Amino acid sequence: MDKLTNYRQYIQQILIEESQGDTLGGDIIESETVFDLANDRYLLIDLGWKGHRRIYNCVLHLEIREDKIWIQRNQTDTPIADKLIAKGVTKDDIILGLKSPAIREYTEFGVV
């Protein structure tokens, strides 16, 4: 498989694994994965109801841009970059989109 195919597979595996965990609201809140394969955008969202309050939260958001994996949001306790590295993704191919561009150059990850 080529790099892009592997990256897509890795991201989908991680989101599916993370969707199996407990949600903050218990059984009435469900986790849902969203895979936009045409645009390489991948989300894990929690949705449902807690009493009369609507719950809709983007828990994880990853994208592939120019052959690099962007971590746009991570509200889990899981270090997603470490999981990607364990699967074989190089640090240079991981962009911490949730960090300011001015801060990214001081991380050990890719800079764009």
Side-chain angles (χ1 to χ4, degrees):
M1 280 192 267
D2 67 359
K3 183 170 104 171
L4 192 56
T5 302
N6 285 335
Y7 284 4
R8 288 177 176 135
Q9 189 175 37
Y10 299 158
I11 291 170
Q12 291 175 38
Q13 288 171 348
I14 289 170
L15 266 60
I16 289 170
E17 289 168 10
E18 291 296 323
S19 73
Q20 308 300 314
D22 292 333
T23 60
L24 292 176
D27 292 340
I28 51 177
I29 308 298
E30 62 185 49
S31 292
E32 184 173 289
T33 55
V34 180
F35 301 151
D36 175 358
L37 301 175
N39 296 297
D40 278 324
R41 295 184 180 122
Y42 306 88
L43 304 170
L44 172 63
I45 58 172
D46 282 347
L47 66 143
W49 290 91
K50 188 172 186 176
H52 295 288
R53 194 171 122 222
R54 175 75 172 151
I55 303 295
Y56 182 90
N57 181 36
C58 176
V59 178
L60 274 169
H61 176 177
L62 287 86
E63 297 179 343
I64 300 175
R65 294 182 184 178
E66 299 177 3
D67 292 336
K68 297 189 182 295
I69 298 175
W70 285 68
I71 301 173
Q72 300 287 14
R73 184 175 183 95
N74 181 6
Q75 288 198 315
T76 71
D77 292 332
T78 304
I80 298 302
D82 290 349
K83 287 188 109 174
L84 291 167
I85 291 167
K87 290 181 179 291
V89 179
T90 64
K91 289 181 178 180
D92 287 341
D93 278 355
I94 298 171
I95 308 297
L96 301 179
L98 45 81
K99 301 278 187 194
S100 159
I103 299 292
R104 285 184 213 146
E105 66 181 281
Y106 300 106
T107 70
E108 58 189 303
F109 297 100
V111 177
V112 176

